Amino acid sequence: MRTILLILSSIFISVFAMAQTGFTGAVLGEDGKPVVNATVAVLKSADSTLIAFGITNDAGRFGISRVPEGAYVLQVACLGYVSYYERITFPAKAGDYGVIVLKQVTFQLPSVEIRGEHIPVIIKKDTVEYNAAAFKTRPDAVAEDLLRKLPGVEVDRAGNIRAMGEDVKNVMVDGKEFFSSDPKVATKNLPADAISKVQVYDKKSESSELAGIEDGSRDKTINLLLKDGKKQAWIGETSAGAGTDDRYALSGKAYRFTRKDQFAALGMLNNINKYGFSFQDYIDFNGGLPAMMSGGSLKLTITSDNEIPVNFGQSVNGLVSSGAGGLNYSFDISKNNRLYASYLGSGSNRTLDQTTLTQNLLPGSTYSENTVSSDHSSNNTHRLNLGWKDKSDSARTILFNANLALAGGRGTSSIHSQSFIGSESFNSMKSDIGDKRIGISGNGSFSYMARGKNLLKLYTLGANTRFTKSLNENDRLNLLRYAGIETPVIDDQFRNLAKNGITVGVFSEFMIRLGSGVYLLPQLRMQGIHDRLDREQGLITDTEQNTDSLSPDFGSNSLQLVPTVKLRWNHGKQKLVPGISLQVAATVNELNDGERLNYNYFRILPSLSWEYEIRTSHRLSVDYSSFVNEPALEIMLPVVDNSNPQALFYGNRELKPETVHELFANWILFDQYSRSSVFARIGSRYTRDKFGYDMSVSDSLVQVSRAINTKSFAEYMANADFSRPVQRMGINLHLSLETRITKGSAVVNDVENRTSGFLRSLKLSFDNVKKEKWDLELGAGLQMNDAKYSIMTSLDNRYLSWNYFADLSITPTDKWNIGFNADIMNYGAGNYSSEINIPLLSAEIGYNFLKNNRAGLKLECFDILDKNKGLERVNELNYIREVRSNNIGRYLMLSFHYRLNKAAGTGNGLELKMKTH
């Protein structure tokens, strides 16, 4: 495979190095002064699509290299000036082009008539605007495919977007939110041919927009402006596919936009392991986080901020049939006064077979656990969102949001595990589990922001609430065998867990002007929290009587008061915001209407934010924050959880809340002239009173864990991303570096196990700049992990993982498109069982037909070599684990798609009529 990649790289470089040349020049105004941020574009005469372009710098200079031989139109454009056009031929125009003089827009130029003018890029103050017509996409492309072609915009293989070196947080359609807060919903579903322009800008906070005072808060935002003809008509697409092994995939999407309202409908149904539309749906499809945890051995999840092992763009483990559908509607009551509502429903069925090998650490020794499990589950979720945003009065803003969710599911599992010391078996357990779950939750928030008078520049008042109610019914038959004991232990139990919670809070914030660029921001937040857990547990008999000692009724009440004061200093390009919060809380938990345990705490929480904007898209910043995490009710419950008799868990009523301190420094640079971007970050996170556990292991290898506060947990991280076009080779270069160090501890058999982790990773990739007919991305990644354990240094684990990847898309004509994808993953052995290679190859070919290519056929083959595997390797505080899962294998699928309201081809090439006198 390495040879293949080298050959592809050589072809890729040589193709773009042949028969290409470039030129430089300067753009001045009639007054002889440099014209800054003018776009200089080389366009195809036939359809005005972009071949190459540059942007003038502060001296008015530009440079364009590696233009293929041929005849083109040179276009120079800038706001406030009449665009300049000239027919040019390369290589005749190579070298120094000279000076181009732009005339003010007030002048009339009867000698030049322009039809269908496509200016690729215009810079309007803080907004970069792209003309979609200047960037050619294939007939069935979506917005994501268009974004990949825009200079300064990057879309990774998972669909995440970066613009001007920063992650894109919002994607708007005609200035309105689109269907979901997940940007990928719009970019993966909206047709590219419906888009007229793409705007990239920094969206300010609501308070900053209202007060007209920069608060340093910004989200990189993309706004997709639709073509006029697409705002009144229905647009969308339907597709249906059938394949080998009874594979199928159906999807449909339809949109309608007018000046007053916006409507969207999405739907999908398949059995090829493709879930719904967003990350949250992924969790909901699986019945929430607990349902995503697997095992027969202990995998303790005692914090709410663990990373979830999901990565969009990678395969989903198991065999999954899923469906989802949603509706979104928004209506403008009046200008800047908008109501919106959306519904999203989803469901899935999954069969998951796994084998798990775990090496557990003890002081001076280890023992292993082998687990084989089979799980069949079905889940469904319904979610309704409502919102109101009223900015019709320029002196105030009203925001209201509410959502309601209903989730349910059921499943059956079979788990067989054995524990060994060396080759000797000490115990085994076979479990058959059935469960049902249903839950309802909701939350709402309301805020009122208004400009004040005199020194009071702005004030905000608001309230929020949330509630949850759920029931999980679980039946479990455990059959346990212990070494030296012939008679097995039978544990046939039922377990019903009901949870209820409600939170109500109010908040206020004021902005008081103290002087020029200096503001005082006092804030006050107060909330009350009530959570309750009622567990009924016992042996399954004819009467199913509860075991009182295992059936607790446990509740917690908390009242929190958080006064905060910040000082904001805005001075030119610098912003400084120091602040301090005092979190005061009174909590009480009660077990079985008996003894109450009171715990009050007081925390001083400082913060600091500093930013220096060197120039547009080039800034430095430092952020320090501190906050408190309160323990969840489940890890405070002192009654044993014995649903797995081999891994018992006790909560702790006396757990202290965690106090977290975070410090990060950032450097962001995007050079619009060279189109280079740098994003670098270095920082640390320190957690005092970290939630952890004290674990003991008996002679029969039964684990007993108790929740405790460990001394501390520290994490240090640094990462850098660099992107730059290499004009002489006609490629874009992308380089990513990351390092992460973690230090924590746990107690195992009364001995502290100090652990440390050290991760280093590197990723390098290349793709071609000109993507008119074909698009190729080649890359490789390398990751090295080190894990060290103080109680068993012989299990210190170092393992190396690397991967190669290649994506090739060829569009020889408007009728045909061909695609190929390769991912080759290598997992080093380290202390795991063996080194593993997983090559995943896929290919497709598509043909478009009917008028304006409204219909199409696509034949695709997934996992050509039939090597797809599910593999996960983790190092935790007290164990090393490898999990192998079943996965979807090779299949062929033939799909038909039909597009609604496909725009007719108009031959929108640039036509120049030159007149001489």
Side-chain angles (χ1 to χ4, degrees):
M1 189 63 200
R2 297 184 184 182
T3 304
I4 294 174
L5 288 176
L6 287 173
I7 293 173
L8 287 174
S9 300
S10 300
I11 294 172
F12 175 75
I13 293 171
S14 61
V15 166
F16 278 87
M18 292 192 313
Q20 299 195 21
T21 184
F23 65 106
T24 60
V27 179
L28 306 178
E30 292 179 292
D31 56 2
K33 295 181 179 180
V35 178
V36 182
N37 291 337
T39 58
V40 182
V42 178
L43 310 175
K44 284 187 64 175
S45 299
D47 57 11
S48 298
T49 54
L50 184 68
I51 299 299
F53 102 110
I55 298 177
T56 58
N57 60 18
D58 293 339
R61 299 289 302 177
F62 68 89
I64 298 177
S65 59
R66 318 308 292 176
V67 179
E69 292 184 6
Y72 305 100
V73 171
L74 176 66
Q75 176 198 73
V76 183
C78 188
L79 282 178
Y81 296 89
V82 175
S83 298
Y84 172 90
Y85 295 90
E86 182 182 349
R87 295 190 184 278
I88 57 176
T89 303
F90 280 87
K93 280 290 185 180
D96 187 2
Y97 189 89
V99 175
I100 299 171
V101 178
L102 295 186
K103 297 186 176 182
Q104 295 289 334
V105 76
T106 54
F107 284 83
Q108 300 297 322
L109 296 177
S111 60
V112 180
E113 180 182 348
I114 302 168
R115 296 181 182 177
E117 179 179 352
H118 293 167
I119 300 175
V121 184
I122 286 289
I123 299 177
K124 302 177 177 179
K125 295 184 178 179
D126 295 331
T127 299
V128 179
E129 183 175 278
Y130 302 88
N131 188 337
F135 303 90
K136 190 175 182 180
T137 57
R138 66 178 187 268
D140 62 342
V142 293
E144 180 180 286
D145 301 309
L146 172 62
L147 294 178
R148 292 181 191 275
K149 297 180 179 292
L150 305 183
V153 179
E154 302 173 39
V155 184
D156 68 17
R157 308 172 78 226
N160 302 303
I161 312 165
R162 297 185 72 194
M164 316 312 168
E166 298 181 62
D167 293 332
V168 171
K169 301 296 181 62
N170 306 298
V171 172
M172 320 283 279
V173 176
D174 279 343
K176 302 174 183 178
E177 294 86 354
F178 180 83
F179 197 76
S180 166
S181 60
D182 183 353
K184 291 189 284 290
V185 175
T187 59
K188 288 183 176 293
N189 291 284
L190 195 64
D193 72 339
I195 299 170
S196 171
K197 290 181 173 59
V198 178
Q199 297 176 331
V200 180
Y201 62 94
D202 288 326
K203 187 179 185 300
K204 297 180 181 179
S205 66
E206 296 289 349
S207 59
S208 178
E209 291 181 357
L210 183 61
I213 298 171
E214 178 63 53
D215 63 2
S217 175
R218 60 170 69 86
D219 287 330
K220 187 64 70 177
T221 298
I222 286 179
N223 184 30
L224 305 175
L225 298 178
L226 299 181
K227 296 175 181 177
D228 289 339
K230 302 292 184 179
K231 295 182 180 181
Q232 301 295 331
W234 287 91
I235 58 177
E237 181 181 15
T238 60
S239 68
T244 56
D245 297 327
D246 297 322
R247 302 296 176 197
Y248 62 85
L250 306 171
S251 68
K253 46 202 173 190
Y255 316 97
R256 178 179 169 83
F257 306 88
T258 71
R259 291 184 177 180
K260 283 286 187 180
D261 56 14
Q262 178 191 54
F263 175 83
L266 305 175
M268 52 83 73
L269 181 68
N270 69 77
N271 65 350
I272 56 174
N273 283 27
K274 291 186 177 180
Y275 277 104
F277 309 116
S278 70
F279 175 76
Q280 186 60 47
D281 296 325
Y282 181 92
I283 297 176
D284 292 336
F285 279 138
N286 287 275
L289 295 181
M292 295 175 65
M293 304 304 175
S294 62
S297 60
L298 174 67
K299 183 172 183 178
L300 205 58
T301 303
I302 56 176
T303 66
S304 60
D305 57 352
N306 286 341
E307 291 185 3
I308 299 164
V310 178
N311 187 343
F312 287 99
Q314 292 186 350
S315 58
V316 175
N317 292 332
L319 302 178
V320 181
S321 300
S322 62
L327 298 171
N328 174 275
Y329 179 74
S330 66
F331 175 74
D332 290 342
I333 303 171
S334 59
K335 185 178 180 180
N336 295 324
N337 187 5
R338 183 172 173 237
L339 290 171
Y340 55 91
S342 68
Y343 163 78
L344 187 63
S346 57
S348 71
N349 292 295
R350 182 173 73 163
T351 299
L352 177 63
D353 299 322
Q354 292 186 321
T355 58
T356 304
L357 175 60
T358 305
Q359 296 183 68
N360 296 281
L361 280 69
L362 297 175
S365 64
T366 66
Y367 70 96
S368 61
E369 185 176 10
N370 295 340
T371 303
V372 178
S373 64
S374 180
D375 176 80
H376 304 272
S377 61
S378 62
N379 303 280
N380 61 82
T381 301
H382 304 271
R383 185 164 56 249
L384 178 66
N385 295 282
L386 302 171
W388 175 38
K389 179 185 290 187
D390 183 5
K391 302 174 66 175
S392 56
D393 186 337
S394 61
R396 60 107 177 102
T397 296
I398 299 174
L399 299 174
F400 171 77
N401 289 284
N403 70 72
L404 182 68
L406 177 66
R410 62 177 60 235
T412 59
S413 302
S414 177
I415 303 172
H416 186 201
S417 64
Q418 283 186 289
S419 297
F420 298 86
I421 294 181
S423 60
E424 182 181 358
S425 175
F426 271 65
N427 64 56
S428 68
M429 181 178 70
K430 187 178 186 303
S431 301
D432 293 312
I433 307 166
D435 71 274
K436 295 188 299 182
R437 53 195 174 276
I438 188 171
I440 186 171
S441 62
N443 62 66
S445 64
F446 175 85
S447 65
Y448 178 89
M449 288 184 289
R451 286 202 295 264
K453 296 181 179 180
N454 301 323
L455 296 180
L456 179 60
K457 307 301 293 182
L458 184 74
Y459 63 91
T460 303
L461 303 174
N464 59 73
T465 184
R466 65 106 185 153
F467 76 92
T468 59
K469 188 177 181 65
S470 65
L471 174 64
N472 188 310
E473 298 178 342
N474 183 284
D475 296 334
R476 182 167 182 146
L477 174 60
N478 299 311
L479 182 65
L480 298 99
R481 295 183 181 274
Y482 296 95
I485 302 177
E486 294 185 3
T487 305
V489 178
I490 299 176
D491 176 34
D492 192 3
Q493 61 175 262
F494 72 91
R495 190 168 182 264
N496 302 328
L497 185 65
K499 294 166 57 179
N500 300 279
I502 187 168
T503 299
V504 177
V506 295
F507 60 90
S508 63
E509 179 177 344
F510 303 88
M511 180 183 291
I512 302 170
R513 185 176 183 271
L514 300 181
S516 178
V518 183
Y519 304 89
L520 184 69
L521 286 80
Q523 306 169 4
L524 181 63
R525 177 169 57 89
M526 182 172 63
Q527 65 177 8
I529 304 171
H530 169 76
D531 288 314
R532 196 150 200 91
L533 183 154
D534 185 7
R535 189 171 81 194
E536 297 178 352
Q537 184 171 343
L539 298 178
I540 296 179
T541 62
D542 292 339
T543 57
E544 291 193 353
Q545 292 182 348
N546 296 342
T547 302
D548 291 339
S549 60
L550 298 176
S551 301
D553 185 359
F554 187 55
S556 173
N557 295 292
S558 177
L559 181 63
Q560 299 177 1
L561 183 66
V562 187
T564 302
V565 61
K566 296 182 179 180
L567 185 68
R568 184 181 305 283
W569 178 71
N570 297 342
H571 181 70
K573 296 186 176 184
Q574 292 195 68
K575 302 172 185 66
L576 178 66
V577 186
I580 189 167
S581 297
L582 305 178
Q583 182 157 332
V584 183
T587 66
V588 57
N589 60 64
E590 183 178 21
L591 180 63
N592 297 327
D593 295 323
E595 179 187 356
R596 294 188 175 189
L597 180 63
N598 295 286
Y599 178 71
N600 303 326
Y601 67 87
F602 175 85
R603 296 286 187 273
I604 299 176
L605 304 172
S607 64
L608 177 69
S609 175
W610 171 81
E611 180 181 292
Y612 177 57
E613 187 167 8
I614 301 171
R615 61 175 185 270
T616 302
S617 298
H618 187 188
R619 62 178 179 268
L620 299 171
S621 65
V622 175
D623 293 289
Y624 166 70
S625 62
S626 53
F627 54 91
V628 173
N629 286 327
E630 294 211 12
L633 209 60
E634 288 83 352
I635 65 171
M636 296 175 64
L637 179 63
V639 179
V640 63
D641 178 353
N642 67 345
S643 54
N644 180 351
Q646 296 294 99
L648 308 178
F649 175 70
Y650 291 85
N652 183 354
R653 297 178 69 182
E654 299 182 357
L655 276 181
K656 301 176 183 178
E658 296 178 337
T659 304
V660 184
H661 299 265
E662 295 181 338
L663 175 63
F664 293 98
N666 302 281
W667 175 37
I668 295 175
L669 167 65
F670 176 73
D671 183 3
Q672 61 191 17
Y673 310 116
S674 65
R675 281 173 281 160
S676 301
S677 67
V678 177
F679 176 80
R681 191 184 203 202
I682 185 171
S684 65
R685 181 181 294 112
Y686 173 80
T687 304
R688 191 182 69 187
D689 296 323
K690 176 75 174 177
F691 302 144
Y693 56 91
D694 180 344
M695 188 179 76
S696 61
V697 181
S698 70
D699 293 340
S700 57
L701 302 185
V702 175
Q703 303 172 0
V704 181
S705 300
R706 293 175 172 82
I708 62 171
N709 290 108
T710 62
K711 293 179 179 179
S712 64
F713 178 82
E715 189 175 14
Y716 310 93
M717 65 285 290
N719 63 280
D721 294 285
F722 173 75
S723 298
R724 179 184 175 89
V726 184
Q727 297 291 355
R728 294 185 60 84
M729 300 173 64
I731 63 175
N732 294 310
L733 179 150
H734 309 276
L735 176 64
S736 298
L737 302 169
E738 180 182 4
T739 185
R740 185 181 300 268
I741 300 172
T742 58
K743 293 183 179 296
S745 66
V747 178
V748 181
N749 283 0
D750 298 322
V751 178
E752 183 183 19
N753 180 29
R754 297 183 302 278
T755 65
S756 65
F758 186 19
L759 176 145
R760 292 88 78 201
S761 66
L762 179 149
K763 179 181 176 182
L764 179 65
S765 65
F766 303 90
D767 64 273
N768 54 309
V769 174
K770 312 288 192 307
K771 303 178 185 291
E772 182 180 350
K773 292 294 185 180
W774 61 294
D775 186 354
L776 174 63
E777 181 184 10
L778 295 172
L782 180 69
Q783 180 173 295
M784 179 176 288
N785 282 276
D786 283 301
K788 295 184 178 181
Y789 306 91
S790 65
I791 63 172
M792 191 64 181
T793 57
S794 62
L795 272 189
D796 290 352
N797 195 16
R798 170 179 287 191
Y799 59 99
L800 182 70
S801 302
W802 54 261
N803 74 306
Y804 294 141
F805 57 87
D807 281 300
L808 175 63
S809 176
I810 304 174
T811 311
T813 70
D814 287 343
K815 297 292 184 182
W816 291 94
N817 58 82
I818 303 167
F820 174 77
N821 172 268
D823 267 296
I824 297 90
M825 284 294 307
N826 174 275
Y827 297 88
N831 280 330
Y832 294 107
S833 57
S834 63
E835 179 178 320
I836 297 177
N837 282 288
I838 303 178
L840 186 61
L841 309 180
S842 301
E844 65 178 50
I845 182 170
Y847 176 71
N848 300 296
F849 57 96
L850 296 185
K851 185 178 181 180
N852 304 315
N853 292 327
R854 295 182 68 175
L857 290 172
K858 180 171 68 173
L859 179 65
E860 56 185 324
C861 182
F862 175 79
D863 189 16
I864 296 172
L865 302 180
D866 200 21
K867 297 291 186 180
N868 192 22
K869 301 175 183 177
L871 180 68
E872 180 186 4
R873 287 176 167 176
V874 275
N875 292 276
E876 289 290 348
L877 293 175
N878 71 310
Y879 61 80
I880 299 171
R881 173 172 293 166
E882 177 180 277
V883 182
R884 302 193 186 197
S885 308
N886 67 322
N887 220 325
I888 191 169
R890 177 174 54 209
Y891 66 84
L892 281 169
M893 178 168 285
L894 180 65
S895 303
F896 169 79
H897 70 262
Y898 184 81
R899 308 194 71 192
L900 306 175
N901 195 36
K902 175 72 178 180
T906 56
N908 286 330
L910 179 65
E911 181 180 346
L912 298 181
K913 291 186 177 180
M914 308 298 295
K915 297 181 181 179
T916 58
H917 298 279

